[in-house]
Amino acid sequence: DAGVTQSPTHLIKTRGQHVTLRCSPISGHKSVSWYQQVLGQGPQFIFQYYEKEERGRGNFPDRFSARQFPNYSSELNVNALLLGDSALYLCASSSEGGGETQYFGPGTRLLVL
Amino acid sequence: GEDVEQSLFLSVREGDSSVINCTYTDSSSTYLYWYKQEPGAGLQLLTYIFSNMDMKQDQRLTVLLNKKDKHLSLRIADTQTGDSAIYFCAEIHNQAGTALIFGKGTTLSVSS
C-alpha cells in the first residue's frame, strides 16, 4: 500500500511569492494534518482537516491556508513568502479526526530566497 | 515544541543500549509517540504508548511511562549504526484539532 505522498519534493521561491504544496493521504484515511519543521527544531502543527472541514489550527499567520478535497487529498498554501518560511513541510494522515496515530509523508523542502 | 523537552544529543557504541528521555506537560494526553527521522527524510512512527500503560515492548524498543513525573523514555536494545537518526517524542493535544506537539528531538549517534 502506498504511504502518504507529497509533492513537490523540493521547491525554491523568492520572497513575496506564493506556494502550493500537495498531499495525498494513505488510502482510506480521512484526515490530513500539516506541520512545519524548521531546521534543528521539531515539527510544529499548522492545520488539521477532516472530511473537508478544518478541525484545528496552530499558531500561524493568515498567510497560511489549506483545504481538503473530496478524495481527502489536501493543499497547503502560503502567500507572501518570507525568508523564515524556509522549512520542511510535512503532511500526516490519520484514519479519522480524533486521537488516531498520524503517519507522515516524506515532506516538501521549501527554500525562500 | 516548548511543551515537550528532550536532551539534544546521545552518543553510544554499537551493541550498547540507548535510552532517550522526554518530559511532557499535558497530563490529559491520551497517547505518547516516538518518531524517528533520518537525514533529509520525513518522520517514521516507531512506537506509541497509551497513557494508562506503564510499559510497552516492541522487539528492540521498550517504552516506559511515568505519569506522575510526566516522563517518557525510549530504550533501544543492541543499538546498531542504522539507528543513528533524530528521535522525536510527541504528545497529543486535543485543544486544536488533534495536534501532535513535538520536542526538539534527540540526535542519536552510534559508533562502530
Side-chain angles (χ1 to χ4, degrees), chain A residues 2-35:
Chain A
V4 179
T5 59
Q6 293 186 242
S7 64
T9 55
H10 295 83
L11 203 52
I12 300 175
K13 292 285 188 178
T14 56
R15 281 178 297 175
Q17 287 189 311
H18 73 272
V19 68
T20 298
L21 310 180
R22 296 177 176 84
C23 170
S24 291
I26 292 170
S27 178
H29 282 193
K30 298 178 182 177
S31 180
V32 168
S33 298
W34 287 95
Y35 293 81

Side-chain angles (χ1 to χ4, degrees), chain A residues 3-73:
Chain A
V4 179
T5 59
Q6 293 186 242
S7 64
T9 55
H10 295 83
L11 203 52
I12 300 175
K13 292 285 188 178
T14 56
R15 281 178 297 175
Q17 287 189 311
H18 73 272
V19 68
T20 298
L21 310 180
R22 296 177 176 84
C23 170
S24 291
I26 292 170
S27 178
H29 282 193
K30 298 178 182 177
S31 180
V32 168
S33 298
W34 287 95
Y35 293 81
Q36 180 196 63
Q37 185 180 21
V38 174
L39 195 63
Q41 302 292 319
Q44 292 217 318
F45 173 71
I46 311 175
F47 286 110
Q48 184 192 32
Y49 275 77
Y50 173 67
E51 291 279 15
K52 298 176 288 180
E53 298 290 326
E54 182 183 304
R55 289 287 292 270
R57 183 184 183 122
N59 188 24
F60 279 80
D62 291 344
R63 299 184 296 107
F64 289 76
S65 63
R67 55 181 176 166
Q68 188 177 30
F69 299 99
N71 66 354
Y72 304 113
S73 68

Side-chain angles (χ1 to χ4, degrees), chain B residues 62-73:
Chain B
T62 302
V63 179
L64 295 178
L65 175 60
N66 181 330
K67 284 195 72 176
K68 175 177 172 289
D69 295 335
K70 297 191 184 76
H71 184 265
L72 183 73
S73 68

Side-chain angles (χ1 to χ4, degrees), chain B residues 17-72:
Chain B
S17 291
S18 307
V19 180
I20 301 171
N21 294 301
C22 168
T23 57
Y24 62 98
T25 59
D26 188 351
S27 58
S28 65
S29 292
T30 51
Y31 287 93
L32 295 145
Y33 297 87
W34 286 103
Y35 286 88
K36 174 184 179 183
Q37 187 175 39
E38 298 184 17
L43 299 180
Q44 173 194 351
L45 175 68
L46 283 180
T47 187
Y48 61 91
I49 187 167
F50 189 50
S51 58
N52 69 351
M53 299 170 65
D54 297 325
M55 185 184 86
K56 180 179 180 181
Q57 188 154 2
D58 184 0
Q59 299 182 329
R60 292 191 298 125
L61 304 178
T62 302
V63 179
L64 295 178
L65 175 60
N66 181 330
K67 284 195 72 176
K68 175 177 172 289
D69 295 335
K70 297 191 184 76
H71 184 265
L72 183 73

